[in-house]
Amino acid sequence: MNDKRHKHLRVPVSAHEEQAIKSKARNTGLPVARYMRQVCLGHTVQSTIDLVQIKHLLKVNGDLGRAGGLLKFWLSDDKRAVGMDRKEIKETQALMSRVLKKLITKQ
């Protein structure tokens, strides 16, 4: 579409609606005008928050794998495992829980 955009539409909104629209546009990484144009024309607008959360979950998943390896090592009879604690595993579980809660509340 090579049409130059020189027409403006005015849409009255409440303060709450303004904040909601701006927040949704921010979540998609689009400027407000482009976000509104996409939504009004029936285009699907993908949230970038979901992608960010998925990347974060993948990192946490890798951390859990490493923590599992540490637990296996800790449970072995290896002398190098003496003095290891479960702090890293608990921290990783707490992080995973926080990330999942954020992802659930965003939908």
Side-chain angles (χ1 to χ4, degrees):
M1 187 157 136
N2 292 340
D3 291 340
K4 212 169 193 185
R5 293 185 177 103
H6 58 277
K7 298 287 184 181
H8 293 268
L9 299 175
R10 185 180 176 285
V11 181
V13 295
S14 68
H16 177 71
E17 291 169 331
E18 176 189 25
Q19 290 307 311
I21 291 168
K22 286 181 176 182
S23 175
K24 289 179 183 227
R26 195 171 32 254
N27 290 346
T28 63
L30 297 175
V32 173
R34 185 168 176 198
Y35 170 79
M36 290 180 67
R37 192 169 38 252
Q38 295 280 7
V39 170
C40 290
L41 293 174
H43 299 268
T44 301
V45 182
Q46 188 114 24
S47 173
T48 57
I49 286 186
D50 294 343
L51 298 175
V52 169
Q53 294 298 333
I54 288 169
K55 286 180 183 177
H56 196 79
L57 286 172
L58 289 172
K59 182 191 176 303
V60 171
N61 187 45
D63 291 344
L64 282 174
R66 285 185 287 284
L70 284 172
L71 178 61
K72 190 175 182 180
F73 179 70
W74 181 65
L75 292 173
S76 71
D77 290 333
D78 195 313
K79 292 177 185 177
R80 296 175 293 175
V82 173
M84 293 181 81
D85 62 16
R86 300 176 191 165
K87 184 177 178 184
E88 182 178 352
I89 294 169
K90 289 184 183 214
E91 287 173 355
T92 304
Q93 287 174 324
L95 175 62
M96 179 70 110
S97 179
R98 286 192 305 271
V99 170
L100 287 171
K101 285 178 184 174
K102 281 184 188 177
L103 186 60
I104 290 168
T105 59
K106 294 289 180 186
Q107 298 193 13

XYZ file of all heavy atoms in Angstrom:
852
model
N 0.853 -1.178 0.000
C 0.000 0.000 0.000
C 0.898 1.239 0.000
O 1.601 1.504 0.957
C -0.874 -0.030 1.250
C -1.895 1.018 1.305
S -3.162 0.429 2.396
C -3.480 1.844 3.328
N 0.872 1.986 -1.081
C 1.721 3.161 -1.233
C 0.964 4.458 -0.980
O 1.487 5.532 -1.256
C 2.336 3.184 -2.640
C 3.339 2.055 -2.821
O 3.829 1.514 -1.844
N 3.635 1.720 -4.053
N -0.272 4.373 -0.515
C -1.044 5.581 -0.226
C -0.358 6.358 0.884
O 0.005 5.807 1.913
C -2.466 5.231 0.237
C -3.311 4.643 -0.868
O -2.959 4.843 -2.047
O -4.315 3.989 -0.548
N -0.200 7.648 0.651
C 0.370 8.489 1.687
C -0.700 8.752 2.743
O -1.848 9.016 2.433
C 0.820 9.807 1.063
C 2.014 10.369 1.740
C 2.588 11.507 0.969
C 3.938 11.730 1.597
N 4.613 12.848 1.093
N -0.302 8.646 3.979
C -1.261 8.854 5.060
C -1.294 10.333 5.429
O -0.398 10.830 6.091
C -0.869 8.002 6.266
C -1.024 6.530 5.983
C -0.756 5.706 7.232
N -0.972 4.311 6.944
C -0.005 3.423 6.749
N 1.253 3.791 6.840
N -0.292 2.172 6.477
N -2.329 10.994 5.007
C -2.463 12.410 5.337
C -3.813 12.718 5.973
O -4.110 13.848 6.303
C -2.243 13.283 4.085
C -3.188 12.979 2.964
N -2.968 11.949 2.086
C -4.351 13.566 2.608
C -3.962 11.917 1.214
N -4.818 12.877 1.510
N -4.629 11.716 6.167
C -5.917 11.894 6.835
C -5.782 11.462 8.288
O -5.100 10.496 8.610
C -7.003 11.040 6.169
C -7.275 11.396 4.739
C -8.025 12.706 4.687
C -8.398 13.032 3.245
N -9.091 14.284 3.148
N -6.434 12.187 9.170
C -6.408 11.859 10.595
C -7.841 11.635 11.069
O -8.758 12.366 10.683
C -5.796 13.010 11.410
C -4.344 13.215 11.123
N -3.360 12.602 11.848
C -3.724 13.940 10.169
C -2.182 12.953 11.363
N -2.383 13.766 10.332
N -8.015 10.637 11.919
C -9.307 10.385 12.533
C -9.201 10.742 14.010
O -8.202 10.447 14.661
C -9.686 8.905 12.402
C -9.822 8.378 10.974
C -10.084 6.879 10.990
C -10.957 9.100 10.257
N -10.224 11.354 14.519
C -10.235 11.716 15.933
C -11.184 10.778 16.653
O -12.338 10.628 16.260
C -10.715 13.157 16.087
C -10.633 13.651 17.501
C -11.128 15.089 17.593
N -11.150 15.539 18.944
C -12.041 15.188 19.871
N -13.013 14.365 19.570
N -11.982 15.664 21.087
N -10.687 10.140 17.697
C -11.490 9.191 18.463
C -11.437 9.583 19.933
O -10.394 9.457 20.570
C -10.949 7.742 18.308
C -11.801 6.766 19.090
C -10.880 7.355 16.851
N -12.539 10.086 20.476
C -12.541 10.438 21.897
C -12.470 9.172 22.757
O -13.158 8.190 22.482
C -13.876 11.151 22.105
C -14.536 11.251 20.782
C -13.794 10.408 19.818
N -11.607 9.197 23.765
C -11.463 8.070 24.698
C -11.350 8.619 26.113
O -10.963 9.767 26.317
C -10.219 7.207 24.368
C -10.363 6.521 23.019
C -8.950 8.014 24.411
N -11.662 7.757 27.067
C -11.502 8.148 28.465
C -10.023 7.998 28.837
O -9.236 7.400 28.096
C -12.356 7.244 29.368
O -11.826 5.926 29.360
N -9.655 8.503 30.001
C -8.269 8.386 30.470
C -7.896 6.912 30.636
O -6.788 6.492 30.285
C -8.092 9.123 31.791
N -8.826 6.112 31.137
C -8.577 4.680 31.318
C -8.370 3.989 29.963
O -7.467 3.164 29.805
C -9.743 4.037 32.076
C -9.612 2.562 32.235
N -8.686 1.986 33.072
C -10.281 1.530 31.639
C -8.792 0.665 32.990
N -9.749 0.370 32.126
N -9.229 4.333 28.997
C -9.097 3.739 27.657
C -7.779 4.153 27.000
O -7.115 3.328 26.361
C -10.273 4.166 26.774
C -11.590 3.561 27.198
C -12.781 4.185 26.496
O -12.714 5.388 26.127
O -13.789 3.475 26.320
N -7.397 5.394 27.188
C -6.130 5.875 26.631
C -4.960 5.058 27.167
O -4.095 4.599 26.409
C -5.920 7.358 26.957
C -4.576 7.877 26.472
C -4.265 9.272 26.973
O -4.802 9.671 28.037
O -3.469 9.955 26.304
N -4.938 4.863 28.482
C -3.850 4.096 29.087
C -3.860 2.645 28.619
O -2.807 2.060 28.367
C -3.934 4.164 30.620
C -3.607 5.529 31.175
C -2.268 6.054 30.687
O -1.265 5.359 30.730
N -2.259 7.274 30.197
N -5.049 2.066 28.492
C -5.160 0.673 28.037
C -4.651 0.535 26.602
O -3.903 -0.398 26.285
C -6.608 0.198 28.129
N -5.019 1.457 25.736
C -4.584 1.417 24.334
C -3.073 1.603 24.250
O -2.377 0.871 23.538
C -5.331 2.479 23.493
C -6.805 2.095 23.357
C -4.679 2.637 22.120
C -7.689 3.187 22.803
N -2.548 2.571 24.989
C -1.103 2.814 24.977
C -0.337 1.602 25.506
O 0.713 1.239 24.973
C -0.760 4.064 25.790
C -1.123 5.345 25.081
C -0.746 6.557 25.910
C -1.024 7.841 25.150
N -0.630 9.033 25.924
N -0.862 0.980 26.539
C -0.222 -0.198 27.116
C -0.204 -1.349 26.115
O 0.819 -2.020 25.932
C -0.951 -0.619 28.392
O -0.423 -1.817 28.887
N -1.332 -1.579 25.455
C -1.405 -2.654 24.463
C -0.479 -2.381 23.292
O 0.179 -3.297 22.785
C -2.842 -2.850 23.991
C -3.714 -3.479 25.055
C -5.136 -3.658 24.585
C -5.956 -4.227 25.708
N -6.773 -5.327 25.311
N -0.411 -1.134 22.862
C 0.504 -0.782 21.767
C 1.950 -1.023 22.190
O 2.750 -1.584 21.442
C 0.300 0.672 21.360
N 2.280 -0.630 23.410
C 3.628 -0.827 23.944
C 3.971 -2.312 24.004
O 5.081 -2.719 23.686
C 3.720 -0.177 25.329
C 5.109 0.016 25.847
C 5.166 0.856 27.136
N 4.034 0.756 28.045
C 3.099 1.695 28.202
N 3.170 2.824 27.524
N 2.109 1.530 29.050
N 2.989 -3.142 24.386
C 3.208 -4.587 24.472
C 3.480 -5.221 23.111
O 4.067 -6.291 23.040
C 2.007 -5.279 25.124
C 1.882 -4.965 26.587
O 2.804 -4.451 27.206
N 0.732 -5.260 27.149
N 3.021 -4.574 22.057
C 3.265 -5.107 20.714
C 4.513 -4.498 20.092
O 4.962 -4.949 19.045
C 2.083 -4.816 19.773
O 1.937 -3.408 19.614
C 0.803 -5.433 20.288
N 5.037 -3.447 20.712
C 6.218 -2.786 20.156
C 5.869 -1.829 19.024
O 6.755 -1.387 18.295
N 4.604 -1.498 18.881
C 4.164 -0.600 17.810
C 3.811 0.776 18.363
O 3.349 0.884 19.504
C 2.916 -1.164 17.116
C 3.046 -2.488 16.380
C 1.678 -2.946 15.877
C 4.022 -2.370 15.225
N 3.971 1.818 17.546
C 3.445 3.132 17.944
C 1.915 3.046 18.034
O 1.292 2.215 17.363
C 3.861 4.058 16.802
C 4.889 3.314 16.019
C 4.666 1.862 16.264
N 1.324 3.898 18.837
C -0.121 3.866 19.055
C -0.891 3.959 17.743
O -1.828 3.184 17.508
C -0.559 4.977 20.040
C -2.073 5.052 20.134
C 0.039 4.737 21.415
N -0.524 4.878 16.881
C -1.261 5.054 15.619
C -1.222 3.780 14.776
O -2.251 3.343 14.237
C -0.680 6.222 14.827
N -0.069 3.174 14.668
C 0.043 1.959 13.850
C -0.727 0.808 14.494
O -1.400 0.031 13.816
C 1.500 1.572 13.668
C 1.671 0.399 12.741
C 3.100 0.210 12.344
N 3.218 -0.983 11.532
C 4.350 -1.611 11.319
N 5.475 -1.136 11.819
N 4.384 -2.689 10.589
N -0.638 0.711 15.822
C -1.380 -0.332 16.542
C -2.880 -0.183 16.283
O -3.556 -1.141 15.922
C -1.090 -0.251 18.044
C -1.989 -1.137 18.865
C -1.745 -2.498 18.961
C -3.092 -0.612 19.531
C -2.582 -3.325 19.697
C -3.931 -1.431 20.271
C -3.676 -2.782 20.351
O -4.513 -3.593 21.066
N -3.397 1.040 16.441
C -4.829 1.276 16.240
C -5.236 0.994 14.793
O -6.293 0.419 14.545
C -5.196 2.700 16.648
C -5.111 2.907 18.158
S -5.527 4.577 18.680
C -7.251 4.640 18.282
N -4.408 1.387 13.852
C -4.698 1.146 12.437
C -4.775 -0.363 12.175
O -5.701 -0.848 11.531
C -3.620 1.810 11.570
C -3.949 1.868 10.119
C -3.013 2.768 9.296
N -1.614 2.739 9.678
C -0.973 3.737 10.308
N -1.621 4.829 10.651
N 0.296 3.635 10.610
N -3.813 -1.122 12.704
C -3.788 -2.574 12.503
C -5.043 -3.228 13.102
O -5.690 -4.056 12.461
C -2.535 -3.185 13.161
C -1.234 -2.753 12.555
C -0.912 -3.505 11.273
O -1.709 -4.267 10.749
N 0.276 -3.267 10.770
N -5.374 -2.851 14.332
C -6.530 -3.436 15.014
C -7.822 -3.081 14.277
O -8.666 -3.949 14.030
C -6.596 -2.978 16.491
C -7.916 -3.374 17.139
C -5.434 -3.573 17.276
N -7.967 -1.828 13.907
C -9.195 -1.384 13.242
C -9.383 -2.007 11.862
O -10.509 -2.202 11.413
C -9.217 0.139 13.129
S -9.433 0.941 14.727
N -8.294 -2.333 11.209
C -8.377 -2.951 9.882
C -8.463 -4.476 9.963
O -8.445 -5.160 8.953
C -7.186 -2.524 9.018
C -7.174 -1.032 8.656
C -5.886 -0.671 7.927
C -8.396 -0.676 7.809
N -8.543 -4.991 11.188
C -8.751 -6.419 11.369
C -7.502 -7.271 11.292
O -7.586 -8.495 11.202
N -6.332 -6.641 11.353
C -5.083 -7.398 11.323
C -4.774 -7.948 12.718
O -5.073 -7.313 13.723
C -3.920 -6.512 10.855
C -4.105 -5.970 9.480
N -3.638 -6.614 8.361
C -4.728 -4.851 9.033
C -3.947 -5.907 7.285
N -4.619 -4.826 7.675
N -4.162 -9.112 12.755
C -3.744 -9.688 14.031
C -2.476 -8.981 14.490
O -1.529 -8.857 13.726
C -3.457 -11.196 13.886
O -4.647 -11.830 13.418
C -3.044 -11.801 15.196
N -2.489 -8.510 15.709
C -1.335 -7.817 16.274
C -0.741 -8.720 17.350
O -1.409 -9.046 18.324
C -1.737 -6.453 16.875
C -0.525 -5.721 17.408
C -2.454 -5.612 15.829
N 0.495 -9.131 17.150
C 1.165 -10.066 18.067
C 1.869 -9.294 19.184
O 2.568 -8.331 18.934
C 2.204 -10.878 17.310
C 2.805 -11.979 18.120
C 2.428 -13.323 17.565
O 2.118 -13.432 16.416
N 2.441 -14.329 18.393
N 1.671 -9.756 20.394
C 2.338 -9.146 21.535
C 3.783 -9.612 21.605
O 4.072 -10.793 21.450
C 1.612 -9.528 22.829
O 2.339 -9.078 23.936
N 4.702 -8.676 21.839
C 6.107 -9.058 21.992
C 6.379 -9.564 23.396
O 7.375 -10.229 23.622
C 7.035 -7.856 21.705
O 6.687 -6.785 22.579
C 6.943 -7.418 20.276
N 5.494 -9.281 24.335
C 5.690 -9.735 25.709
C 5.719 -11.255 25.760
O 6.547 -11.849 26.429
C 4.595 -9.184 26.640
C 4.858 -7.723 26.894
C 4.563 -9.954 27.952
C 3.950 -7.088 27.884
N 4.819 -11.910 25.038
C 4.800 -13.362 25.038
C 6.137 -13.918 24.553
O 6.657 -14.874 25.125
C 3.673 -13.892 24.155
C 2.297 -13.535 24.711
O 2.214 -13.184 25.900
O 1.320 -13.595 23.955
N 6.688 -13.325 23.501
C 7.965 -13.800 22.972
C 9.088 -13.589 23.979
O 9.946 -14.456 24.150
C 8.284 -13.093 21.653
C 7.282 -13.326 20.516
C 7.651 -12.475 19.300
C 7.206 -14.791 20.144
N 9.082 -12.454 24.649
C 10.097 -12.174 25.667
C 9.979 -13.187 26.806
O 10.986 -13.721 27.277
C 9.957 -10.728 26.196
C 10.807 -10.499 27.425
C 10.315 -9.734 25.105
N 8.745 -13.449 27.245
C 8.538 -14.402 28.336
C 8.961 -15.809 27.926
O 9.549 -16.544 28.723
C 7.069 -14.402 28.785
C 6.622 -13.105 29.409
C 7.383 -12.753 30.670
O 7.882 -13.600 31.377
N 7.477 -11.475 30.949
N 8.695 -16.187 26.681
C 9.090 -17.511 26.209
C 10.608 -17.638 26.203
O 11.159 -18.652 26.648
C 8.492 -17.792 24.815
C 6.985 -18.014 24.946
C 9.165 -18.992 24.151
C 6.240 -18.042 23.638
N 11.301 -16.609 25.732
C 12.769 -16.640 25.750
C 13.282 -16.758 27.180
O 14.226 -17.489 27.457
C 13.338 -15.384 25.077
C 13.214 -15.403 23.583
C 13.796 -14.133 22.975
C 13.594 -14.119 21.477
N 14.078 -12.878 20.875
N 12.625 -16.028 28.083
C 13.026 -16.071 29.487
C 12.798 -17.474 30.059
O 13.635 -17.999 30.788
C 12.251 -15.023 30.282
C 12.830 -14.731 31.617
N 13.916 -13.917 31.791
C 12.487 -15.175 32.843
C 14.214 -13.861 33.068
N 13.360 -14.620 33.737
N 11.666 -18.082 29.714
C 11.376 -19.430 30.187
C 12.386 -20.442 29.646
O 12.772 -21.377 30.345
C 9.963 -19.850 29.789
C 8.840 -19.200 30.585
C 7.493 -19.540 29.966
C 8.881 -19.633 32.026
N 12.819 -20.260 28.405
C 13.830 -21.155 27.844
C 15.136 -21.055 28.624
O 15.796 -22.064 28.880
C 14.059 -20.848 26.365
C 12.920 -21.240 25.431
C 13.171 -20.707 24.031
C 12.730 -22.745 25.412
N 15.495 -19.841 29.018
C 16.715 -19.662 29.812
C 16.557 -20.334 31.174
O 17.455 -21.037 31.643
C 17.028 -18.183 30.000
C 18.316 -17.959 30.790
C 18.454 -16.504 31.191
C 19.655 -16.275 32.056
N 19.697 -17.072 33.276
N 15.404 -20.137 31.792
C 15.156 -20.745 33.093
C 15.163 -22.271 32.964
O 15.688 -22.977 33.830
C 13.826 -20.246 33.695
C 13.451 -21.027 34.941
C 13.915 -18.762 34.019
N 14.625 -22.782 31.861
C 14.627 -24.227 31.637
C 16.062 -24.751 31.590
O 16.366 -25.796 32.169
C 13.889 -24.554 30.343
C 13.715 -26.034 30.143
O 13.347 -26.747 31.067
N 13.989 -26.504 28.943
N 16.951 -24.036 30.919
C 18.364 -24.420 30.887
C 18.975 -24.387 32.274
O 19.749 -25.277 32.654
N 18.608 -23.358 33.036
C 19.101 -23.258 34.418
C 18.628 -24.446 35.254
O 19.383 -24.975 36.072
C 18.627 -21.956 35.074
C 19.282 -20.724 34.470
O 20.307 -20.876 33.774
O 18.766 -19.613 34.697
N 17.365 -24.857 35.035
C 16.855 -26.010 35.780
C 17.616 -27.282 35.413
O 17.871 -28.131 36.275
C 15.361 -26.205 35.504
C 14.424 -25.267 36.243
C 12.997 -25.468 35.755
C 14.503 -25.493 37.732
N 17.973 -27.410 34.141
C 18.761 -28.558 33.722
C 20.113 -28.592 34.423
O 20.560 -29.642 34.909
N 20.750 -27.443 34.505
C 22.037 -27.354 35.207
C 21.855 -27.628 36.701
O 22.665 -28.310 37.325
C 22.679 -25.993 34.972
C 23.272 -25.862 33.568
C 24.021 -24.557 33.391
N 23.129 -23.404 33.283
C 22.428 -23.096 32.204
N 22.505 -23.845 31.135
N 21.656 -22.039 32.179
N 20.765 -27.109 37.265
C 20.503 -27.348 38.686
C 20.256 -28.837 38.936
O 20.702 -29.380 39.955
C 19.300 -26.525 39.154
N 19.562 -29.485 38.016
C 19.344 -30.928 38.147
C 20.663 -31.689 38.121
O 20.859 -32.648 38.873
N 21.563 -31.253 37.246
C 22.888 -31.861 37.194
C 23.636 -31.673 38.506
O 24.305 -32.589 38.990
N 23.514 -30.478 39.071
C 24.152 -30.221 40.360
C 23.550 -31.098 41.460
O 24.270 -31.614 42.319
C 24.009 -28.743 40.754
C 24.910 -27.763 40.023
C 24.511 -26.331 40.390
C 26.367 -28.011 40.376
N 22.232 -31.268 41.428
C 21.580 -32.114 42.427
C 22.065 -33.553 42.306
O 22.370 -34.196 43.308
C 20.057 -32.059 42.266
C 19.247 -32.943 43.212
C 19.494 -32.543 44.663
C 17.774 -32.869 42.882
N 22.152 -34.039 41.082
C 22.647 -35.397 40.855
C 24.076 -35.541 41.399
O 24.418 -36.522 42.050
C 22.603 -35.698 39.357
C 22.859 -37.115 38.989
C 22.660 -37.265 37.481
C 22.857 -38.699 37.051
N 22.657 -38.855 35.606
N 24.890 -34.535 41.124
C 26.271 -34.526 41.605
C 26.285 -34.492 43.130
O 27.033 -35.202 43.783
C 27.000 -33.318 41.014
C 28.421 -33.169 41.454
C 29.400 -34.049 41.029
C 28.788 -32.131 42.293
C 30.717 -33.901 41.426
C 30.099 -31.974 42.711
C 31.066 -32.870 42.270
N 25.418 -33.654 43.705
C 25.343 -33.490 45.157
C 24.940 -34.793 45.847
O 25.432 -35.124 46.921
C 24.348 -32.373 45.468
C 24.165 -32.049 46.912
C 25.087 -31.538 47.763
C 22.978 -32.211 47.677
N 24.549 -31.360 49.005
C 23.244 -31.763 48.979
C 21.701 -32.666 47.374
C 22.298 -31.775 49.984
C 20.758 -32.676 48.373
C 21.062 -32.237 49.669
N 24.026 -35.542 45.203
C 23.555 -36.789 45.788
C 24.562 -37.933 45.633
O 24.435 -38.957 46.305
C 22.214 -37.199 45.159
C 21.032 -36.290 45.493
C 19.818 -36.690 44.682
C 20.727 -36.314 46.981
N 25.528 -37.742 44.762
C 26.529 -38.797 44.573
C 27.476 -38.815 45.777
O 27.445 -37.944 46.641
C 27.315 -38.556 43.285
O 28.179 -37.443 43.445
N 28.322 -39.790 45.800
C 29.275 -39.921 46.897
C 30.564 -39.154 46.628
O 31.540 -39.308 47.366
C 29.601 -41.400 47.134
C 28.410 -42.142 47.721
O 27.589 -41.480 48.389
O 28.307 -43.361 47.508
N 30.575 -38.323 45.610
C 31.782 -37.580 45.234
C 32.164 -36.601 46.351
O 31.342 -35.843 46.842
C 31.532 -36.830 43.934
C 32.809 -36.337 43.283
O 33.653 -35.759 43.994
O 32.956 -36.537 42.064
N 33.413 -36.605 46.742
C 33.891 -35.734 47.823
C 33.768 -34.259 47.464
O 33.657 -33.411 48.336
C 35.351 -36.065 48.153
C 35.533 -37.421 48.771
C 36.998 -37.707 49.006
C 37.160 -39.142 49.507
N 38.548 -39.515 49.685
N 33.784 -33.954 46.164
C 33.683 -32.546 45.748
C 32.298 -31.972 46.041
O 32.104 -30.768 46.048
C 33.983 -32.406 44.252
C 35.415 -32.788 43.896
C 35.622 -32.755 42.412
N 34.820 -33.836 41.813
C 34.697 -34.044 40.509
N 35.303 -33.248 39.661
N 33.972 -35.029 40.048
N 31.311 -32.819 46.281
C 29.941 -32.363 46.535
C 29.723 -31.953 47.986
O 28.677 -31.402 48.313
C 28.955 -33.464 46.160
N 30.680 -32.183 48.835
C 30.546 -31.824 50.250
C 30.371 -30.308 50.367
O 31.091 -29.536 49.761
C 31.778 -32.302 51.055
C 31.720 -31.790 52.478
C 31.873 -33.807 51.013
N 29.403 -29.883 51.133
C 29.186 -28.456 51.367
C 28.229 -27.799 50.383
O 27.899 -26.632 50.533
N 27.785 -28.521 49.368
C 26.832 -27.930 48.419
C 25.460 -27.863 49.079
O 25.105 -28.726 49.870
C 26.760 -28.768 47.138
C 28.043 -28.741 46.330
S 27.891 -29.727 44.837
C 27.044 -28.575 43.797
N 24.703 -26.831 48.772
C 23.354 -26.740 49.318
C 22.332 -26.654 48.193
O 22.669 -26.663 47.030
C 23.218 -25.566 50.296
C 23.464 -24.219 49.628
O 23.434 -24.157 48.388
O 23.686 -23.243 50.351
N 21.092 -26.550 48.575
C 19.992 -26.548 47.594
C 19.539 -25.145 47.227
O 18.520 -24.965 46.580
C 18.823 -27.335 48.162
C 19.186 -28.765 48.452
C 18.045 -29.478 49.085
N 18.536 -30.757 49.587
C 17.895 -31.505 50.437
N 16.737 -31.129 50.894
N 18.406 -32.644 50.839
N 20.280 -24.140 47.627
C 19.878 -22.751 47.418
C 19.648 -22.435 45.940
O 18.649 -21.810 45.583
C 20.943 -21.818 47.997
C 20.570 -20.352 47.921
C 21.627 -19.491 48.566
C 21.252 -18.030 48.442
N 22.281 -17.161 48.961
N 20.545 -22.853 45.068
C 20.415 -22.548 43.638
C 19.138 -23.148 43.048
O 18.451 -22.516 42.259
C 21.634 -23.066 42.869
C 21.570 -22.721 41.390
C 22.792 -23.190 40.609
O 23.768 -23.653 41.204
O 22.734 -23.079 39.379
N 18.821 -24.359 43.455
C 17.615 -25.010 42.947
C 16.368 -24.257 43.397
O 15.471 -23.978 42.607
C 17.557 -26.481 43.400
C 18.710 -27.257 42.754
C 16.213 -27.123 43.055
C 18.916 -28.639 43.308
N 16.324 -23.857 44.657
C 15.163 -23.127 45.173
C 15.028 -21.761 44.498
O 13.924 -21.323 44.184
C 15.258 -22.983 46.692
C 15.039 -24.290 47.408
C 15.044 -24.120 48.908
C 14.891 -25.481 49.540
N 14.141 -25.455 50.749
N 16.144 -21.091 44.258
C 16.110 -19.799 43.583
C 15.596 -19.959 42.156
O 14.808 -19.146 41.673
C 17.501 -19.163 43.568
C 17.943 -18.642 44.922
C 19.388 -18.159 44.919
O 20.086 -18.303 43.898
O 19.824 -17.646 45.966
N 16.024 -20.997 41.479
C 15.585 -21.233 40.108
C 14.103 -21.573 40.072
O 13.375 -21.099 39.190
C 16.420 -22.360 39.460
O 17.799 -22.012 39.545
C 16.053 -22.544 38.000
N 13.641 -22.362 41.023
C 12.214 -22.678 41.081
C 11.391 -21.415 41.323
O 10.339 -21.224 40.714
C 11.941 -23.691 42.197
C 12.408 -25.082 41.879
C 12.246 -26.019 43.069
O 12.433 -25.617 44.219
N 11.917 -27.258 42.788
N 11.858 -20.551 42.203
C 11.139 -19.302 42.492
C 11.101 -18.412 41.257
O 10.073 -17.807 40.946
C 11.802 -18.571 43.659
N 12.218 -18.354 40.527
C 12.267 -17.560 39.299
C 11.282 -18.099 38.275
O 10.537 -17.344 37.660
C 13.687 -17.565 38.733
C 13.870 -16.872 37.385
C 13.520 -15.391 37.492
C 15.301 -17.047 36.904
N 11.263 -19.409 38.091
C 10.342 -20.028 37.140
C 8.901 -19.713 37.515
O 8.086 -19.379 36.663
C 10.575 -21.536 37.101
C 9.637 -22.270 36.161
S 9.997 -21.900 34.453
C 10.656 -23.460 33.962
N 8.596 -19.779 38.789
C 7.245 -19.487 39.267
C 6.856 -18.041 38.970
O 5.756 -17.770 38.492
C 7.158 -19.762 40.760
O 5.881 -19.461 41.238
N 7.771 -17.091 39.216
C 7.477 -15.676 38.948
C 7.247 -15.440 37.462
O 6.323 -14.724 37.074
C 8.615 -14.795 39.455
C 8.666 -14.640 40.964
C 9.616 -13.530 41.393
N 10.958 -13.675 40.873
C 11.935 -14.349 41.472
N 11.715 -14.957 42.617
N 13.143 -14.406 40.931
N 8.076 -16.032 36.620
C 7.945 -15.841 35.175
C 6.620 -16.411 34.683
O 5.919 -15.782 33.888
C 9.139 -16.482 34.427
C 8.902 -16.507 32.934
C 10.418 -15.722 34.736
N 6.259 -17.597 35.148
C 5.002 -18.200 34.724
C 3.804 -17.372 35.175
O 2.850 -17.198 34.426
C 4.896 -19.630 35.263
C 5.805 -20.646 34.583
C 5.788 -21.968 35.328
C 5.417 -20.846 33.133
N 3.851 -16.833 36.394
C 2.758 -15.996 36.882
C 2.604 -14.753 36.030
O 1.494 -14.335 35.708
C 2.972 -15.623 38.347
C 2.684 -16.768 39.290
C 2.950 -16.393 40.728
C 2.753 -17.607 41.623
N 3.127 -17.347 43.013
N 3.739 -14.131 35.636
C 3.686 -12.959 34.763
C 3.071 -13.314 33.426
O 2.246 -12.589 32.883
C 5.087 -12.396 34.527
C 5.629 -11.555 35.633
C 6.977 -10.998 35.224
C 7.667 -10.291 36.350
N 9.007 -9.828 35.962
N 3.461 -14.437 32.874
C 2.946 -14.861 31.579
C 1.457 -15.118 31.633
O 0.714 -14.706 30.755
C 3.688 -16.122 31.119
C 3.371 -16.632 29.716
C 3.709 -15.563 28.688
C 4.142 -17.895 29.426
N 0.995 -15.736 32.710
C -0.419 -16.039 32.869
C -1.238 -14.755 33.031
O -2.303 -14.611 32.443
C -0.650 -16.992 34.051
C -0.099 -18.382 33.692
C -2.120 -17.077 34.433
C 0.000 -19.327 34.873
N -0.739 -13.797 33.807
C -1.494 -12.573 34.040
C -1.525 -11.662 32.831
O -2.380 -10.800 32.736
C -0.954 -11.788 35.249
O 0.412 -11.467 35.021
C -1.094 -12.578 36.525
N -0.618 -11.814 31.881
C -0.587 -10.982 30.683
C -1.621 -11.402 29.668
O -1.910 -10.697 28.733
C 0.809 -11.040 30.012
C 1.902 -10.437 30.845
C 1.761 -8.952 30.906
C 2.874 -8.366 31.745
N 2.748 -6.972 31.959
N -2.200 -12.589 29.824
C -3.143 -13.083 28.810
C -4.558 -12.805 29.171
O -5.007 -12.450 30.085
C -2.939 -14.576 28.599
C -1.554 -14.816 28.081
C -1.388 -16.219 27.547
O -2.340 -16.933 27.345
N -0.172 -16.600 27.300
